[in-house]
Amino acid sequence: MQRRYRLKSGRVFDYLHRKGVSSANKRLVLVHAPSKYPLKVGFIVSKKVGKAVVRNKVRRRLREIFRALIPFLDENRNYIIIARAESANSTFAQLAGSLTSLLQRSKLIVKTIDAETATKLSLDEKFINANVN
């Protein structure tokens, strides 16, 4: 994922935690809020997930999944993706499905996900044919 999409400021993380809307499933928590600036995303993978190797593996997977989904998302929002302990034992496809379902449930996907991206992320048919708001 390109650096221009990365959320780095601690103040923005704090703001998103205070003012953002969150949704969760057993693997991930998604926090988002509108922004007057272009899309930014931050990832939080705590020590509860595992040791350094496991945390970095989860973070790399989440970055790649989010990178593939950027063209389909609302551009004027900031996102934080928080990994839960269950994400350590999850496959790439499971993480992709979890993140995509959170984004759809929050009505943040503004374009239909194309078949090529769905294949790359190993998504089910339900994510391809889902209604877009």
Side-chain angles (χ1 to χ4, degrees):
M1 186 171 64
Q2 296 174 351
R3 287 185 176 213
R4 67 181 176 168
Y5 294 120
R6 292 193 186 164
L7 233 173
K8 299 174 195 160
S9 171
R11 291 170 51 197
V12 178
F13 273 94
D14 290 340
Y15 174 80
L16 282 170
H17 274 294
R18 281 186 286 113
K19 303 284 185 177
V21 178
S22 67
S23 57
N25 57 30
K26 66 181 181 179
R27 292 184 184 92
L28 301 171
V29 177
L30 173 70
V31 181
H32 60 92
S35 173
K36 59 184 175 182
Y37 301 108
L39 180 144
K40 298 267 186 191
V41 63
F43 299 93
I44 299 174
V45 184
S46 72
K47 289 185 178 180
K48 292 178 186 177
V49 174
K51 298 203 180 221
V53 173
V54 175
R55 290 194 312 267
N56 287 328
K57 182 179 180 181
V58 170
R59 192 176 298 116
R60 282 192 313 268
R61 285 180 172 179
L62 289 173
R63 277 189 192 137
E64 179 59 24
I65 294 164
F66 198 85
R67 185 196 65 74
L69 292 173
I70 286 173
F72 310 104
L73 297 177
D74 184 6
E75 280 292 320
N76 295 322
R77 286 200 171 268
N78 287 337
Y79 303 89
I80 296 178
I81 299 168
I82 304 168
R84 290 186 164 173
E86 181 71 26
S87 63
N89 301 324
S90 301
T91 64
F92 183 83
Q94 290 171 332
L95 283 174
S98 293
L99 182 56
T100 307
S101 69
L102 285 175
L103 290 167
Q104 282 184 344
R105 197 169 24 169
S106 300
K107 297 180 176 27
L108 297 172
I109 296 180
V110 294
K111 297 178 189 170
T112 304
I113 298 174
D114 61 3
E116 181 182 339
T117 303
T119 304
K120 180 178 180 182
L121 297 178
S122 304
L123 296 176
D124 295 336
E125 288 291 322
K126 64 182 177 181
F127 296 116
I128 300 170
N129 299 326
N131 293 333
V132 176
N133 297 324

